[in-house]
Amino acid sequence: MAIPSLQDGIDKAGSPIGLLWQPNAEPWTPEVVEREYVGWRQEQAAWHEGVALLNLSHHMYDLWIEGPDATRVLAEYGANNFEKFAIGQAKQYVPVTRDGKIVTDGILLRRAENKYLLSGVPAAQHWVQYHAEKGGYDVGFETDTSSAFRPGGGDPKLFRYQIQGPLALELIENVFGGPLPETKFFHSTPVTLHGRSFEALRHGMAGQAGYEFIGPWEHAAYVHEAFLKAGEPLGLVQVGALAYTTPSVESGWIPSPVPGIYVDPELAEYRAWLPLFGIEGKRPLNGSYFSEDIEDFYVSPYELGYGRLIHFGHDFHGRDALLKAKDEPRRTKVTLVLDADDVRRVVGGGEDPGFVLTYARHRVETPAGLVGATMQTASIDPVGTVLAQTLIDSAHAEPGTEVTVVWGEHPGPGTDPEADLGFPRIRATVQVSPFDQHARTEYRRG
């Protein structure tokens, strides 16, 4: 029996929205790692005040891309600058459709002259592999899925451990017997720990300095134990799945925007190539903002804040559309700071609503009507309330603007998108994104 494709799922559901709209969808959290180790609040505090260890080994997909045409296919289907891409450097890869809509980003690490590793949500990986195969590029692929979907179970090919927080560099010096070589942001340096070789990628999350250590799985347990042992005197805290989902809300990264692939007739073959039971067919949409038109959920890289990553010095798929949209972003990425009293009243829990996490598209309104939609919303205990990464009409993006978040679950097709369903409102104030000042100003210095 043939494996159903994304197009099969759309046809059966009647529309992309019919396939994807799932009120009250459970929010995604990473697999395998504990949901909490010492409590999500303490784990959030650790990367703000001390030092935290995050295990990224299990939830990301990895795609190795190797061959004489590796750079060419990545450059022709991505908007990034490949003229300045050093071996050992990583970039946030930005593939777009011919209409200039994001397919979903990924982290692209150049391993050698003709070898790359693309990691993260697999939509960008699917995009590159499909076009490479269709276009006859001289390039090969090797895939390692997330641990939840790895055939036959088994271990990942790579471990990934992040060390983050104000005490991160002190911990790293303790482990390696001294500071690591000076490394630019999003560049890697080779390291050795008692004869075990792997890489240190200079990285940060929620505004804190740190590194992501990447290496063969055979060294995973040893490296993990070394960090735990050296971190005891510093109060090292392991971060569980709940807290792990929240730094992006502070650091301004919007996870898993809707790929702009669902209706373009020129992508019908692509939709038939994609499996239904993948990220494109199974990542749900929900919330108080609803539209029957899936294109209303598409986003451009400019709206996501990726304009600085776009390089027009080469020809690439979607270039003309991005040039046209360059000076007129429809919406701006902002952080909404939700009123703490309203959160307690609406979300529940009395004085303590507990952990809040949702990827729902909630309506954002002013007295004039709809002005935006939330993309990810989460409790940030050090801030003392809930923050929401949001795309909002540029006219309402000024910090300090007061708006209202409509908190509820639209039932979906068959109900007027503009119907007043009696959903409660939460007051909110517009602030900049990234919310964390260090993330806005210091990440890339040096």
Side-chain angles (χ1 to χ4, degrees):
M1 182 177 178
I3 297 174
S5 70
L6 174 62
Q7 188 62 56
D8 291 333
I10 293 171
D11 293 343
K12 184 176 181 180
S15 70
I17 290 294
L19 174 67
L20 298 176
W21 194 261
Q22 298 179 34
N24 298 301
E26 286 292 320
W28 172 86
T29 55
E31 49 264 36
V32 178
V33 300
E34 298 288 338
R35 287 175 65 80
E36 298 175 277
Y37 287 97
V38 296
W40 65 270
R41 288 185 171 86
Q42 295 93 318
E43 291 163 20
Q44 285 185 342
W47 68 70
H48 287 88
E49 301 168 3
V51 60
L53 186 155
L54 301 91
N55 186 351
L56 285 65
S57 306
H58 295 283
H59 70 271
M60 292 195 290
Y61 283 63
D62 286 321
L63 180 70
W64 285 265
I65 306 163
E66 185 172 13
D69 289 341
T71 300
R72 184 164 73 91
V73 69
L74 287 163
E76 290 180 359
Y77 287 92
N80 304 77
N81 185 350
F82 282 82
E83 296 173 4
K84 298 179 179 179
F85 201 159
I87 294 172
Q89 182 181 2
K91 293 192 177 188
Q92 199 164 7
Y93 186 59
V94 182
V96 297
T97 67
R98 64 174 178 144
D99 298 320
K101 303 304 182 184
I102 194 99
V103 175
T104 289
D105 63 347
I107 300 301
L108 185 65
L109 175 63
R110 191 168 197 173
R111 306 298 299 270
E113 183 65 26
N114 294 313
K115 186 175 183 179
Y116 296 83
L117 175 60
L118 181 57
S119 304
V121 174
Q125 300 165 355
H126 293 159
W127 183 257
V128 172
Q129 186 168 356
Y130 168 79
H131 286 291
E133 292 176 357
K134 182 181 178 183
Y137 292 79
D138 188 0
V139 63
F141 299 94
E142 182 181 354
T143 300
D144 188 27
T145 68
S146 72
S147 291
F149 298 97
R150 188 172 296 109
D155 297 324
K157 295 182 182 296
L158 299 175
F159 71 80
R160 282 187 176 85
Y161 301 132
Q162 277 191 6
I163 303 295
Q164 304 287 343
L167 301 180
L169 300 185
E170 183 177 348
L171 170 59
I172 290 167
E173 289 187 19
N174 291 346
V175 170
F176 291 97
L180 299 184
E182 188 170 336
T183 308
K184 293 181 179 180
F185 175 82
F186 244 36
H187 286 66
S188 62
T189 188
V191 294
T192 302
L193 182 63
H194 304 147
R196 296 161 177 84
S197 297
F198 47 103
E199 292 176 285
L201 176 67
R202 185 170 163 247
H203 192 15
M205 36 78 76
Q208 301 303 328
Y211 281 85
E212 184 173 312
F213 295 92
I214 308 169
W217 184 256
E218 63 189 276
H219 302 326
Y222 187 91
V223 173
H224 190 264
E225 183 61 28
F227 282 125
L228 290 181
K229 185 176 180 179
E232 285 183 12
L234 299 176
L236 174 69
V237 172
Q238 293 190 75
V239 174
L242 295 184
Y244 174 80
T245 61
T246 65
S248 53
V249 177
E250 290 184 84
S251 58
W253 177 66
I254 291 177
S256 300
V258 173
I261 62 167
Y262 291 93
V263 295
D264 184 348
E266 291 193 10
L267 292 178
E269 183 180 326
Y270 180 55
R271 294 190 294 272
W273 179 86
L274 286 169
L276 172 61
F277 298 101
I279 187 74
E280 297 89 348
K282 291 301 176 182
R283 181 60 61 89
L285 281 172
N286 64 297
S288 61
Y289 171 75
F290 174 74
S291 171
E292 294 274 8
D293 186 353
I294 189 66
E295 293 184 274
D296 288 340
F297 294 91
Y298 292 176
V299 298
S300 82
Y302 295 116
E303 293 173 319
L304 296 175
Y306 295 165
R308 58 183 171 76
L309 303 176
I310 297 170
H311 176 63
F312 289 110
H314 72 296
D315 193 20
F316 60 88
H317 191 77
R319 183 180 185 276
D320 291 345
L322 289 185
L323 267 175
K324 185 177 180 180
K326 185 173 184 290
D327 298 320
E328 296 181 356
R330 183 164 62 94
R331 296 169 297 186
T332 298
K333 182 176 64 174
V334 300
T335 305
L336 295 187
V337 181
L338 275 60
D339 181 86
D341 290 336
D342 283 3
V343 169
R344 286 189 286 268
R345 173 179 57 83
V346 170
V347 178
E351 288 300 309
D352 183 4
F355 184 74
V356 176
L357 173 67
T358 178
Y359 299 95
R361 269 54 169 181
H362 286 318
R363 292 175 63 93
V364 179
E365 299 178 340
T366 69
L370 175 70
V371 296
T374 63
M375 302 293 285
Q376 184 189 6
T377 305
S379 302
I380 307 296
D381 192 63
V383 177
T385 189
V386 170
L387 303 182
Q389 281 297 306
T390 299
L391 296 183
I392 198 168
D393 294 348
S394 298
H396 300 277
E398 184 69 23
T401 302
E402 295 182 354
V403 297
T404 300
V405 177
V406 181
W407 197 266
E409 293 289 339
H410 194 284
T415 301
D416 184 351
E418 300 295 328
D420 184 356
L421 300 175
F423 293 140
R425 267 65 174 171
I426 298 176
R427 292 169 294 172
T429 303
V430 172
Q431 294 296 344
V432 293
S433 178
F435 181 76
D436 185 277
Q437 183 178 6
H438 189 286
R440 291 197 306 273
T441 61
E442 299 292 335
Y443 263 178
R444 294 170 177 79
R445 290 194 180 179

